[in-house]
Amino acid sequence: SARDTGCDTFGLRMAQTRHLSNFGAIGLLLAHQPTLRDVLVTTIEHLHLLNPSLMLHVENVGALVIVREEVMTAVPSRQSRELAICVIYRLCASLMGDSWRPKSVNFSHDAPANLAIHQQVFRCPVLFNADFNGLVCQAADLDMPNPSADPAMAVHARTLLASQASQ
């Protein structure tokens, strides 16, 4: 679709329509995790149900955290990488609030001719030709409490997921 339309930001534009509710019961579970770190760990735990072609890894580097995300297909495209990174960015931002900004968003591919959509979507430095695909943020951000977390709803969501798995 990106090639046919000539839209090199097709993946980002798709990601902008994705919401936590698109994850179904897993989205409910994520919304009620106590911290962003718990959200990421829970996402990794259930990633095989969300998208088995994705790999997500959280790496602590001093006061920073690198959230690496890779598309594990034969030939990952710019669109699939940007879609995946933007979805995880939007997940983090939805829980941390509009004031949250990662230190950077990183892509291993070349920069597009026009960076306007990237800058509008990510609102932080976007680095291209990077060593990895993912986000860099403050480690402290991952441990801030999620104000909307409800432990009872998290238990309910886990029960719901378990009942779906048994079916």
Side-chain angles (χ1 to χ4, degrees), residues 73-114:
T73 59
V75 184
S77 70
R78 160 197 257 11
Q79 307 310 321
S80 59
R81 283 188 207 112
E82 291 189 359
L83 172 65
I85 299 301
C86 190
V87 167
I88 202 72
Y89 170 90
R90 286 176 54 86
L91 168 65
C92 295
S94 73
L95 297 171
M96 296 297 294
D98 286 337
S99 63
W100 178 76
R101 301 281 186 277
K103 300 294 274 180
S104 65
V105 172
N106 301 49
F107 294 107
S108 61
H109 55 263
D110 293 338
N114 184 339

Side-chain angles (χ1 to χ4, degrees), residues 153-165:
M153 284 302 291
V155 169
H156 172 68
R158 283 201 186 272
T159 303
L160 183 59
L161 281 169
S163 71
Q164 289 176 347

Side-chain angles (χ1 to χ4, degrees), residues 25-92:
I26 295 170
L28 180 63
L29 177 61
L30 295 176
H32 293 288
Q33 293 304 297
T35 66
L36 185 54
R37 186 178 303 277
D38 294 311
V39 167
L40 294 171
V41 168
T42 303
T43 301
I44 292 167
E45 178 185 342
H46 293 91
L47 201 54
H48 67 286
L49 299 172
L50 293 169
N51 188 337
S53 66
L54 290 179
M55 186 276 310
L56 187 65
H57 179 74
V58 178
E59 178 183 343
N60 292 300
V61 182
L64 299 175
V65 169
I66 299 173
V67 180
R68 296 176 188 261
E69 188 168 31
E70 293 296 336
V71 179
M72 309 302 286
T73 59
V75 184
S77 70
R78 160 197 257 11
Q79 307 310 321
S80 59
R81 283 188 207 112
E82 291 189 359
L83 172 65
I85 299 301
C86 190
V87 167
I88 202 72
Y89 170 90
R90 286 176 54 86
L91 168 65
C92 295

